[in-house]
Amino acid sequence: MNRTLGHRAPLLWIVLPFLTGLAAGRAGLPAPVPGLLGCALVLAALALWGAREDHRGWGLMLAAAMFLSGDVSHALHQRHLPVREQLPPREAELELEIERLFASRRSDRLVGLARVTGTQPHLRNLRGQRLYVALALAPGRPAPIVSARVGARGVLTPLPAAVTGATFDRYLADSGVNFRLERGTVLAELEPANAYRRFCAAAAARFEAILSRDKPRRPELAAAYRAMVLGRQQELDEEQVREFRLSGTMHVFSISGMHIAVIALALQTGLAALRLPALLRLGIELGALWLYVDITGTAPSAVRAFVMVALVRLALAARRPLNLLAALTASLGLVLLVAPLQVFTASFQMSYGIVAALFLFGLPLDEAWRQRGEPFQLLPKAAWRWWHHAGRALWTWQRAAVAIGLSSALVGTITGLHFFGLFTPGAMLVNLALIPLSTTVIWAGLLALLTVLPRLDWRSALFNRAALVLLWLSDHAIRAALRLPAMWFEGRCTHPWLGEAALVGLLALLLAGYALGWRRRYGGFWMPFVYVALVLLLGAKFI
């Protein structure tokens, strides 16, 4: 019996209709908020009554209520201003609260997302709107940090109502941003950032200094080190970015689910050695993990990974059966409640798509391979020597790595073609070698960061140099892989909508295969590969 199958996630009956409603709202379905909200409440009440009376149609009524709720949520979070969006670009002076800062190679500019908190009288309908800001700073003035309020003047440009293609404007629109404020300056800081944000900024500067203590002969390795541990991708040069994208390893150099999982495991292992009470240990672990997320910039992918890890750890602490599919669905539901428009971003679709493929396909595939036979299974364990144990451990690791790599490749093939115009068939092989190295680099970086404690400064050099050696090996492995034939191809989907439609179809196929137990009569584990091959043959155009 495959122990990874048969898990239930009842929240899918709520989350999937809500996602469909969001997609319908994005596609332009009219959303008169009061009317649709009233209909959703009526349908939800009828569904509740039907469930209590054991009426057959209660599930359909609940799905309809969640669909309408998704459409309403899209309208409320998008907050379009049709009258304002029809006006040409014009100069505006606004008061802004900084919500998120984007990495920038220039220290004299403020680049990020902000919310309008104050305007001139004729612009009052802009209050509450989110803006993309790219403004110059006065000479010698430090950049404001998250939660600070500033006065700014610049050119206000509305985004098009319908943005297509995998462009930065599309990312902004999918993040609930309707305007740009550029070609201007920050006039003054009206209110400083709160104490917590100032602490995070000071810790980020301290961490960067620790990881920069050694000056290697190749500065690009130090830049890759800081990108991998602190998410500072702006320090990567153009050649590095190109190599990482072509090799399919760019995810290693941004704070993502892999980083959060690795650091969570390190924290859990380290705190277990202290023999603290379980609840105290869990609180310290999650608190330290959230601090890492905030200090490194609160990237949406890191926040989503933290939510997933926190749900799993809380379930284990409550001694509940481990159900990864239910935890994934619960984290998805929480993210949709707080920031539903994230579902349209490339980061969201890639991260949740890959994790869903791992749980629905990768783990069952690994378990199926395990059941077919293990090395030395006919030899009693009492007679095993050290090489038997080492061989079994190596086989187990390789089997799991290949299963995880294949599940990631299914989603990565479609999303890479759709978002980046790349098909990287060699990415799985490169990642099989790079992920163990990068995991060790992250651990070394974490140990180096612990030298922020007194009397431990001298130890950071050891961990930094070990990490740089591993990054040197990783760099040579990536360069060697890119010289191999057929490692990558440039291409695109034949239609702009095809990439997202193909991803939705793949996830539906994975969910159906999981529900059917991946039985051979239904195609078994081959069906997702056949599906992706058909997408490449019929829906992709290579250059």
Side-chain angles (χ1 to χ4, degrees):
M1 180 179 178
N2 195 321
R3 296 172 298 178
T4 62
L5 297 174
H7 293 156
R8 300 172 62 87
L11 280 179
L12 280 174
W13 295 101
I14 294 176
V15 170
L16 291 182
F18 189 88
L19 283 171
T20 307
L22 282 174
R26 183 200 189 195
L29 183 70
V33 173
L36 288 184
L37 188 58
C39 289
L41 291 174
V42 170
L43 287 171
L46 290 175
L48 181 61
W49 173 83
R52 294 183 61 183
E53 299 295 328
D54 199 21
H55 193 278
R56 287 185 178 182
W58 74 270
L60 291 177
M61 288 186 286
L62 177 61
M66 296 312 301
F67 174 84
L68 296 178
S69 299
D71 192 18
V72 169
S73 178
H74 182 275
L76 292 176
H77 285 83
Q78 193 67 61
R79 297 192 62 183
H80 279 300
L81 297 176
V83 176
R84 182 67 57 187
E85 291 166 0
Q86 294 172 4
L87 297 177
R90 58 182 57 199
E91 187 176 78
E93 186 171 325
L94 305 171
E95 294 180 6
L96 308 172
E97 181 179 347
I98 308 301
E99 289 190 339
R100 186 183 172 197
L101 295 176
F102 291 159
S104 175
R105 297 179 185 273
R106 295 178 55 181
S107 59
D108 61 344
R109 291 182 63 79
L110 172 67
V111 182
L113 301 180
R115 188 176 299 275
V116 179
T117 58
T119 68
Q120 298 165 313
H122 67 286
L123 298 175
R124 58 181 175 271
N125 59 348
L126 286 176
R127 292 181 181 177
Q129 283 282 322
R130 301 182 76 206
L131 307 176
Y132 167 75
V133 295
L135 304 170
L137 298 170
R141 175 177 292 172
I145 60 178
V146 174
S147 78
R149 288 182 59 247
V150 300
R153 181 189 295 121
V155 176
L156 185 69
T157 306
L159 291 179
V163 184
T164 59
T167 62
F168 186 63
D169 278 354
R170 175 68 173 271
Y171 165 77
L172 294 178
D174 290 340
S175 300
V177 174
N178 298 318
F179 297 90
R180 288 172 172 260
L181 187 67
E182 300 171 296
R183 290 176 286 168
T185 58
V186 176
L187 301 176
E189 186 173 83
L190 304 177
E191 184 178 322
N194 58 49
Y196 173 71
R197 289 297 177 182
R198 293 198 302 272
F199 165 78
C200 290
R206 174 64 172 158
F207 287 172
E208 183 180 0
I210 291 173
L211 299 184
S212 303
R213 282 173 180 163
D214 294 308
K215 305 296 182 183
R217 295 180 180 178
R218 293 176 54 185
E220 66 271 18
L221 293 180
Y225 183 33
R226 291 188 290 270
M228 186 178 291
V229 179
L230 298 179
R232 297 184 62 83
Q233 288 189 352
Q234 73 273 18
E235 298 191 28
L236 300 175
D237 59 39
E238 294 182 0
E239 181 63 23
Q240 286 177 300
V241 172
R242 176 182 176 274
E243 290 177 353
F244 298 153
R245 283 185 175 172
L246 294 181
S247 61
T249 57
M250 193 66 191
H251 64 97
V252 173
F253 299 92
S254 60
I255 305 299
S256 61
M258 184 194 78
H259 294 69
I260 301 303
V262 168
I263 292 175
L265 179 61
L267 289 172
Q268 183 180 355
T269 304
L271 290 171
L274 300 179
R275 298 186 178 276
L276 298 174
L279 289 180
L280 177 61
R281 190 165 65 242
L282 178 63
I284 295 174
E285 177 188 338
L286 295 182
L289 193 60
W290 178 252
L291 273 179
Y292 175 78
V293 171
D294 256 350
I295 289 171
T296 55
T298 326
S301 58
V303 174
R304 294 191 295 267
F306 170 81
V307 172
M308 179 69 188
V309 170
L311 288 174
V312 171
R313 294 291 293 122
L314 289 171
L316 292 175
R319 298 184 179 181
R320 298 292 182 182
L322 183 59
N323 186 338
L324 296 178
L325 181 60
L328 175 66
T329 307
S331 69
L332 176 58
L334 289 175
V335 171
L336 291 178
L337 282 177
V338 177
L341 296 183
Q342 281 191 22
V343 71
F344 303 119
T345 63
S347 171
F348 183 98
Q349 294 178 24
M350 293 178 70
S351 59
Y352 268 100
I354 289 175
V355 174
L358 171 62
F359 293 166
L360 297 173
F361 180 83
L363 296 183
L365 178 62
D366 176 56
E367 181 67 12
W369 283 344
R370 187 193 68 82
Q371 292 179 355
R372 291 185 179 181
E374 295 277 71
F376 318 121
Q377 63 180 0
L378 299 180
L379 184 65
K381 281 195 174 183
W384 283 17
R385 307 294 295 273
W386 68 267
W387 59 80
H388 294 106
H389 292 281
R392 172 67 72 87
L394 180 61
W395 164 255
T396 301
W397 176 84
Q398 288 181 334
R399 186 193 66 217
V402 171
I404 291 171
L406 289 173
S407 60
S408 300
L410 289 171
V411 175
T413 297
I414 294 177
T415 55
L417 196 65
H418 176 58
F419 292 115
F420 307 114
L422 290 173
F423 171 47
T424 54
M428 192 186 82
L429 295 177
V430 178
N431 278 284
L432 285 177
L434 189 63
I435 287 179
L437 291 175
S438 61
T439 299
T440 309
V441 170
I442 294 170
W443 282 338
L446 186 61
L447 291 172
L449 294 181
L450 291 178
T451 61
V452 73
L453 301 174
R455 299 182 181 180
L456 292 178
D457 288 355
W458 64 272
R459 300 188 181 184
S460 64
L462 174 63
F463 300 121
N464 285 343
R465 289 173 186 173
L468 291 172
V469 170
L470 294 175
L471 283 169
W472 178 83
L473 292 174
S474 302
D475 182 68
H476 277 269
I478 292 173
R479 291 173 184 265
L482 290 179
R483 288 195 289 267
L484 298 175
M487 284 293 294
W488 58 274
F489 302 92
E490 292 185 352
R492 59 181 176 84
C493 296
T494 54
H495 301 283
W497 52 266
L498 185 59
E500 291 183 352
L503 179 61
V504 171
L506 174 62
L507 294 176
L509 180 61
L510 294 177
L511 193 59
Y514 184 88
L516 296 172
W518 295 111
R519 296 186 181 92
R520 290 185 179 181
R521 73 177 75 171
Y522 303 115
F525 291 102
W526 289 103
M527 291 304 297
F529 298 104
V530 173
Y531 175 86
V532 172
L534 288 175
V535 170
L536 293 177
L537 289 173
L538 304 177
K541 183 180 293 184
F542 297 99
I543 300 174

